[in-house]
């Protein structure tokens, strides 16, 4: 760098090193100036978060033309799908985390990382304000601010309590690594409490009643892990209370795992019934105290107290306050979730992108565009199109909005698929525009909400990094006019999510999986598929080795139940 070369210049001048030495240092300083200029021209990219979305963005990003700064209160990436396994010691917490500095190490430069929380995004002045998350003994200032040319918000979401009284104070959550560690200690505490002398049998029973609120994938997986932990390990150590343990899952919908295929949902319900896990569907929790959960049975309207030893709240996520505040600033205050366009750019901001759980792609514009395309094609205002006109339009829509294609397979649109596969147009001579538009509005409702999953977050991160990498070459904004000249269309294809299926581990070495192409697989072999997929998806060889050795240790020695 620059400081050492100015030293060189000084040394040679003082020692009378003459012309050669001077010109040598001059050329070094010229190089350095170019380097400094290049650095000064680098766009400043500030990334908030070190989760799934940001880690894949940072991994894929070519930093030669960007000055990248990352801020997150966590200096590590956590492999969240294995968090339920951490709650019972099947896998150790350190096995599923990787220091972010390892992940973002680059050959051609450095990404700066600061362990701090972003407390405010100042959209007007392109600045973020941050506060160090280290409380103890910090010498100097805790707060700092960073300017950005581009901001990538990837702060994820926070747990949603739906403002239910007592939840914050008396429930466990399962969102962060610390949450999983706390649950592990708390489960063991419940057993230690239950065997204290001089307790009545009823008191022991209550101490050993584990309540899980939320029958989604996280709640169900935790219930399954807990069941295995208790019946494979803890009852051997606490045999006197074996028959007093109970697990209840409270779910407001009619089924658990209701976002999965109905075959998986009913397989899970049957498995839980065999395992003695009590699934209470159609019940809403009204409040929680340290002693009981009050739930309302929707069908009867009755309020029922449920005494508990511990409660895990797992009912979904909501927007973080820092993002909410940003939404107010940019005119999105009335929305629930930060909206981006299909290129993941925040609506209303040219320079801000949002990926992962903190944002959602707003498809309203897509639907408006599609409606306009139809209107323009229906020149005689008859409300119908010939099959040929229709096929042209569909081809156009699929190029512009490839995500629509995903949903063309849905049964509502089967006639469309038939038409596309029928180039002669034998099936139909005319297409009713209104009918098709109403089918598309069904597509719209499906498109609106991509699931808040690691799969979506990681794919969005990779997509955005590829846009940033090509940006330099394009020398324009991503929404350049190249692809669809004159129509104001985009240079990059919009983000398109590829669904690779999803798992639901159900305990007892059994799992269910929803695979692409409407395949459903359940049972032991699926559990082995789960092991191999999750081992292969680890972010580093270190965590892969640690996770596999934890699984092996558990097979041989069982889980550790020490309260440390
Ligand atoms: P996160 O991964 O949550 O990362 C957010 C990051 O932002 C974190 O580093 C956080 O510290 C940081 N941050 C927060 N606030 C601030 C701030 N103010 N300033 C700066 N940084 C901030 N998905 C699947 O696809 N498959 C699964 O099997 C699966 N299992 C799951 C199991 C559990 C128990 C949980 C909780 C989630 C699971 N998910 C799964 C969902 C998945 O974890 C999330 O969808 C994913 O983490 C979202 O990624 P993200 O990058 O948006 O957010």
């Amino acid at each position: 760098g620059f400081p050492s070369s100015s030293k060189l210049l000084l040394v040679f001048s003082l020692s009378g090193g003459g012309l050669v030495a001077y010109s040598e240092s001059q050329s070094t300083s010229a190089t350095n100036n170019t380097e400094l200029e290049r650095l000064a021209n680098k766009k400043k990219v500030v990334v908030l978060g070190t989760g799934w979305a940001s880690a894949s963005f940072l991994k894929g990003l070519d930093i030669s033309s960007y000055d990248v700064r990352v801020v997150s209160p966590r200096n590590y990436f956590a492999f969240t799908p294995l968090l339920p396994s951490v709650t019972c010691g099947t896998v150790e917490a350190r096995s599923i985390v990787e220091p972010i500095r390892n992940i973002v190490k680059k050959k051609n430069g450095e990404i700066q990382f600061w362990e701090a929380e972003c407390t405010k995004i100042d959209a007007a002045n392109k600045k973020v304000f941050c506060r160090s998350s280290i409380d103890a003994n910090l010498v100097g200032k805790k707060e700092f601010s960073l300017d950005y040319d581009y901001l990538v918000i990837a702060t994820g979401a926070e747990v949603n309590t739906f403002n239910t009284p007592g939840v914050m104070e008396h429930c466990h959550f399962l969102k962060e690594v610390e949450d999983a560690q706390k649950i592990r200690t708390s489960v063991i505490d419940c057993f230690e409490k239950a065997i204290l002398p001089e307790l009545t049998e009823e008191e022991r029973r209550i101490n050993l009643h584990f309540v899980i609120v939320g029958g989604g994938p996280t709640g169900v997986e935790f219930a399954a892990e807990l069941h295995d932990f208790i019946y494979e390990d803890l009852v051997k150590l606490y045999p006197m209370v074996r028959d007093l343990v109970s697990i209840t899952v409270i779910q407001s919908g009619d089924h658990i795992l209701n976002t999965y295929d109905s075959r998986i949902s009913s397989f899970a319900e049957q498995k839980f019934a065999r395992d003695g896990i009590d699934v209470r569907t159609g019940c809403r929790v009204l409040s929680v105290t340290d002693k009981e959960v009050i739930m309302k049975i929707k069908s009867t309207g009755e309020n029922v107290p449920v005494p508990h030893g511990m409660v895990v709240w797992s009912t979904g996520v909501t927007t973080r306050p820092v993002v909410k505040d940003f939404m107010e600033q940019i005119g999105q205050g009335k929305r629930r979730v930060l909206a981006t366009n299909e290129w993941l750019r925040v609506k209303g901001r040219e320079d801000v992108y949002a990926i992962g759980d903190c944002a959602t792609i707003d498809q309203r514009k897509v639907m408006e565009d599609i409606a306009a395309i139809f209107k323009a094609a229906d020149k005689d205002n008859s409300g119908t199109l010939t099959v040929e006109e229709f096929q042209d339009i569909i081809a156009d829509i699929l190029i512009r909005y490839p995500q629509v294609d995903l949903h063309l397979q849905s049964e509502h649109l089967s006639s469309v698929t038939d038409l596309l596969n029928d180039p002669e147009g034998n099936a139909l001579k005319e297409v009713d525009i209104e009918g098709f538009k109403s089918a598309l509005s069904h597509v719209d409702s499906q498109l609106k909400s991509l699931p808040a999953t690691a799969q979506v977050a990681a794919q969005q991160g990779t997509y955005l990094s590829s846009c940033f990498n090509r940006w330099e070459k394009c020398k324009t904004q991503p929404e350049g006019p190249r692809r669809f000249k004159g129509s104001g269309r985009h240079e990059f294809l919009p983000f398109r999510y590829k669904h690779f299926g999803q798992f639901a581990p159900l305990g007892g070495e059994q799992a269910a999986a929803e695979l692409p192409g409407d395949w459903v697989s359940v049972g032991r072999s699926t559990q082995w598929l789960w092991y191999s997929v999750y081992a292969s998806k680890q972010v580093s060889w270190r965590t892969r080795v640690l996770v596999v050795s934890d699984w092996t240790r558990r097979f041989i020695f069982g889980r550790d139940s020490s309260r440390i």
Side-chain angles (χ1 to χ4, degrees):
F2 185 69
S4 61
S5 77
S6 29
K7 225 187 267 164
L8 185 76
L9 176 68
L10 190 68
V11 171
F12 275 84
S13 312
L14 284 178
S15 64
L19 194 63
V20 175
Y22 180 72
S23 61
E24 213 177 296
S25 50
Q26 202 178 31
S27 83
T28 317
S29 85
T31 317
N32 284 328
N33 282 346
T34 326
E35 177 63 13
L36 277 180
E37 222 168 77
R38 208 178 62 79
L39 280 176
N41 287 337
K42 275 187 168 188
K43 296 277 185 209
K44 284 189 220 105
V45 179
V46 171
V47 182
L48 303 179
T50 49
W52 279 96
S54 45
S56 66
F57 172 73
L58 293 167
K59 260 178 143 178
L61 187 65
D62 172 3
I63 58 166
S64 51
S65 37
Y66 297 107
D67 174 4
V68 186
R69 289 117 188 258
V70 185
V71 174
S72 171
R74 269 178 12 196
N75 74 353
Y76 57 84
F77 163 84
F79 191 88
T80 47
L82 286 181
L83 272 184
S85 305
V86 173
T87 58
C88 299
T90 309
V91 168
E92 291 299 328
R94 287 201 175 263
S95 307
I96 66 158
V97 303
E98 183 68 22
I100 194 70
R101 289 189 166 86
N102 274 350
I103 295 179
V104 302
K105 251 191 254 158
K106 299 268 176 182
K107 288 197 187 82
N108 57 348
E110 198 191 344
I111 290 181
Q112 301 195 64
F113 169 76
W114 292 291
E115 192 182 83
E117 181 188 0
C118 168
T119 49
K120 187 168 178 73
I121 300 166
D122 179 351
N125 297 305
K126 297 174 79 169
K127 237 183 211 316
V128 293
F129 293 89
C130 308
R131 187 176 48 224
S132 159
S133 19
I134 308 157
D135 278 329
N137 270 342
L138 178 76
V139 179
K141 262 174 77 180
K142 260 181 106 143
E143 269 132 26
F144 59 95
S145 66
L146 300 170
D147 295 326
Y148 62 78
D149 293 309
Y150 300 113
L151 176 66
V152 177
I153 307 177
T155 50
E158 63 179 21
V159 288
N160 194 352
T161 65
F162 299 97
N163 292 327
T164 313
V167 171
M168 266 302 169
E169 300 83 346
H170 305 296
C171 292
H172 284 275
F173 302 102
L174 184 45
K175 185 83 183 59
E176 308 291 338
V177 177
E178 296 87 335
D179 298 334
Q181 288 172 310
K182 279 189 204 144
I183 291 177
R184 184 175 179 182
T185 313
S186 208
V187 170
I188 298 162
D189 278 350
C190 288
F191 275 82
E192 293 297 347
K193 280 189 290 183
I195 57 155
L196 286 174
E198 301 185 15
L199 259 64
T200 64
E201 187 176 306
E202 186 53 20
E203 285 164 339
R204 292 187 208 282
R205 239 180 239 289
I206 295 174
N207 277 315
L208 290 172
H209 185 202
F210 300 92
V211 175
I212 296 141
V213 184
T218 303
V220 165
E221 193 177 338
F222 170 65
E225 274 283 345
L226 182 64
H227 177 270
D228 284 0
F229 184 30
I230 291 172
Y231 292 99
E232 287 172 10
D233 302 289
L234 292 176
V235 292
K236 293 182 195 149
L237 305 175
Y238 305 86
M240 57 301 252
V241 289
R242 185 193 166 99
D243 299 330
L244 307 180
V245 185
S246 56
I247 303 174
T248 301
V249 177
I250 301 177
Q251 159 76 333
S252 64
D254 293 338
H255 295 281
I256 55 171
L257 293 183
N258 55 12
T259 54
Y260 284 61
D261 187 289
S262 57
R263 289 167 281 179
I264 291 184
S265 164
S266 55
F267 178 80
E269 282 169 358
Q270 286 160 17
K271 164 102 181 39
F272 276 12
R274 284 197 301 278
D275 289 345
I277 299 174
D278 186 16
V279 176
R280 308 291 300 267
T281 52
C283 295
R284 198 162 66 85
V285 171
L286 300 179
S287 64
V288 183
T289 67
D290 58 342
K291 301 269 181 312
E292 58 188 21
V293 170
I294 305 291
M295 69 175 189
K296 181 177 190 144
I297 302 175
K298 284 189 193 164
S299 57
T300 61
E302 195 189 346
N303 289 355
V304 181
V306 182
H308 66 81
M310 73 177 262
V311 186
V312 174
W313 186 270
S314 164
T315 58
V317 290
T318 186
T319 305
R320 291 191 190 275
V322 65
V323 177
K324 199 88 207 138
D325 174 76
F326 171 65
M327 288 165 69
E328 300 278 348
Q329 294 175 45
I330 59 166
Q332 288 199 20
K334 291 209 175 85
R335 293 188 57 96
R336 237 173 13 92
V337 187
L338 180 62
T340 69
N341 63 15
E342 308 96 89
W343 288 262
L344 310 180
R345 177 178 284 195
V346 169
K347 296 200 131 196
R349 296 306 306 177
E350 280 297 296
D351 39 33
V352 185
Y353 295 83
I355 48 178
D357 284 5
C358 67
T360 184
I361 299 173
D362 188 357
Q363 303 283 350
R364 245 175 323 183
K365 178 77 172 52
V366 178
M367 297 315 294
E368 282 164 20
D369 283 0
I370 290 176
I373 292 172
F374 275 103
K375 196 153 182 274
D378 183 22
K379 292 187 192 84
D380 58 358
N381 256 343
S382 64
T384 55
L385 293 175
T386 66
V387 171
E388 266 165 22
E389 283 169 335
F390 176 79
Q391 283 169 339
D392 282 352
I393 286 175
I394 292 294
D396 190 24
I397 290 174
L398 290 185
I399 293 173
R400 294 178 189 205
Y401 304 107
Q403 66 272 46
V404 172
D405 181 32
L406 271 182
H407 300 280
L408 281 179
Q409 311 306 329
S410 88
E411 57 185 275
H412 293 256
L413 291 173
S414 56
S415 60
V416 176
T417 323
D418 290 347
L419 276 172
L420 287 172
N421 295 332
D422 177 22
E424 305 301 319
N426 293 327
L428 263 178
K429 292 291 168 216
E430 285 184 334
V431 181
D432 164 27
I433 299 179
E434 283 315 311
F436 183 66
K437 276 204 279 190
S438 78
L440 272 182
S441 70
H442 165 78
V443 172
D444 181 38
S445 66
Q446 288 189 30
L447 287 175
K448 252 181 202 141
S449 47
L450 275 178
T453 62
Q455 252 189 95
V456 172
Q459 287 182 30
Q460 290 187 336
T462 309
Y463 164 83
L464 192 62
S465 67
S466 72
C467 292
F468 269 67
N469 294 346
R470 287 174 44 209
W471 209 334
E472 269 288 289
K473 282 183 214 144
C474 299
K475 288 286 178 212
T476 52
Q477 294 183 325
E479 283 101 338
R482 188 180 293 175
R483 182 172 280 274
F484 299 103
K485 271 203 181 97
S487 62
R489 295 291 166 197
H490 303 74
E491 185 162 300
F492 296 121
L493 283 177
F495 168 71
R496 182 179 186 176
Y497 171 60
K498 286 197 192 73
H499 187 58
F500 292 111
Q502 52 187 352
F503 282 101
L506 298 170
E509 294 303 313
Q510 301 212 32
E514 210 176 85
L515 303 166
D518 204 26
W519 277 78
V520 163
S521 147
V522 290
R524 278 173 196 275
S525 50
T526 315
Q527 179 69 32
W528 282 99
L529 184 63
W530 183 88
Y531 281 128
S532 25
V533 169
Y534 279 54
S536 71
K537 292 276 170 206
Q538 293 302 312
V539 285
S540 71
W541 275 101
R542 189 191 68 86
T543 55
R544 190 167 297 128
V545 169
L546 288 176
V547 163
V548 173
S549 62
D550 283 350
W551 286 334
T552 317
R553 169 188 51 75
R554 202 272 294 168
F555 272 117
I556 302 170
F557 302 110
R559 300 166 185 85
D560 177 16
S561 61
S562 325
R563 189 200 175 292
I564 49 164

